[in-house]
Amino acid sequence: EVGVLPFAMGRAYSAVADDWLALHYNPAGLAIVEGVDFQLADMKLGVSGDAVSNYDKYKELAKTGNDSTKIDAITGKRLHANLGNVTQLTVPKFAVAMVYDYRVDFDSRNRVYPQLRIRDTLDTGVVTGVGFGIGKANNRQKALRIGLGLKYLKRKGAIKSLTVAEVSSSTKALLDQFQASGWGLGATLGMQYQLPVSGRAEYTLSFVYHDIGN
């Protein structure tokens, strides 16, 4: 979830990734990066409409003494807020980035037996990747590109489904359930292959396997 252009193209971007975003979508594209690029900030901020229009209700719910009446008032509403940033250095065939991602979600759907799905997570970590070309060159670029990305993430918080009774407990008891922390390692394996066809159009096949690991 990095960059504006990939959002518009969906996963199709993995076939044409050739800049700093290749690290996050297809590390094979790092093989055809030209020059040096330092991305100080690629920030994103998202807030759902329900979160804005029902802010006072959510604030009241967060106070001590939550009860089913307050929860019922926001049933069917969706709170979502997200703040993230990527700082990255990219050079030909290599990139390294520091990532930050904070998310809050609150969702309650069932009025008869309400269960609240709550997410409060902060992810920080480092992502790095390499890419290199193999075989005959097409248009001064290697036809086959292979890439590998590695990711270390540390998470604080939790994603939980809670009953009304659990949410109605004291604020401290509720917040204590979201103090867990842990870390994980993952890898991304990517490939791009530019078909040897003539003409104005270029045809590239790509394959990416994301989040290998735990």
Side-chain angles (χ1 to χ4, degrees):
E1 298 184 1
V2 178
V4 176
L5 181 59
F7 274 137
M9 297 183 65
R11 287 299 178 186
Y13 188 78
S14 65
V16 297
D18 62 355
D19 56 9
W20 71 277
L21 292 167
L23 175 63
H24 307 277
Y25 289 89
N26 189 346
L30 294 173
I32 54 177
V33 166
E34 297 180 354
V36 178
D37 178 56
F38 179 65
Q39 190 80 13
L40 178 62
D42 181 73
M43 297 190 69
K44 61 180 177 180
L45 173 63
V47 181
S48 63
D50 281 342
V52 175
S53 59
N54 295 277
Y55 173 75
D56 290 337
K57 294 179 181 178
Y58 286 112
K59 188 176 180 180
E60 182 69 19
L61 183 64
K63 295 180 180 178
T64 304
N66 303 321
D67 54 42
S68 57
T69 303
K70 297 173 184 176
I71 294 174
D72 186 66
I74 57 174
T75 298
K77 306 295 192 300
R78 173 72 185 275
L79 178 152
H80 172 77
N82 176 218
L83 174 64
N85 182 58
V86 176
T87 299
Q88 180 171 325
L89 173 66
T90 309
V91 299
K93 299 181 174 61
F94 175 79
V96 59
M98 297 176 60
V99 297
Y100 172 95
D101 188 73
Y102 179 64
R103 294 172 182 265
V104 175
D105 279 290
F106 184 98
D107 195 11
S108 176
R109 296 293 177 186
N110 190 342
R111 289 182 182 274
V112 178
Y113 184 70
Q115 278 197 326
L116 294 86
R117 187 176 185 276
I118 303 176
R119 171 176 180 163
D120 186 346
T121 58
L122 171 61
D123 295 337
T124 56
V126 178
V127 185
T128 187
V130 295
F132 53 92
I134 302 174
K136 185 179 179 180
N138 287 341
N139 298 327
R140 294 177 297 178
Q141 298 175 354
K142 295 290 187 179
L144 177 63
R145 280 93 67 174
I146 303 293
L148 175 67
L150 297 175
K151 180 187 300 183
Y152 167 83
L153 288 180
K154 184 176 181 180
R155 168 169 291 182
K156 181 179 180 181
I159 304 172
K160 291 180 174 290
S161 293
L162 304 176
T163 64
V164 174
E166 291 173 308
V167 175
S168 298
S169 61
S170 69
T171 301
K172 183 180 183 304
L174 178 62
L175 294 178
D176 284 347
Q177 299 190 57
F178 294 87
Q179 297 304 308
S181 62
W183 59 272
L185 295 173
T188 300
L189 182 64
M191 177 273 289
Q192 293 175 336
Y193 178 65
Q194 187 174 329
L195 299 178
V197 296
S198 59
R200 295 184 178 181
E202 293 181 357
Y203 299 90
T204 304
L205 300 177
S206 73
F207 171 83
V208 189
Y209 189 179
H210 287 280
D211 299 328
I212 305 169
N214 182 21

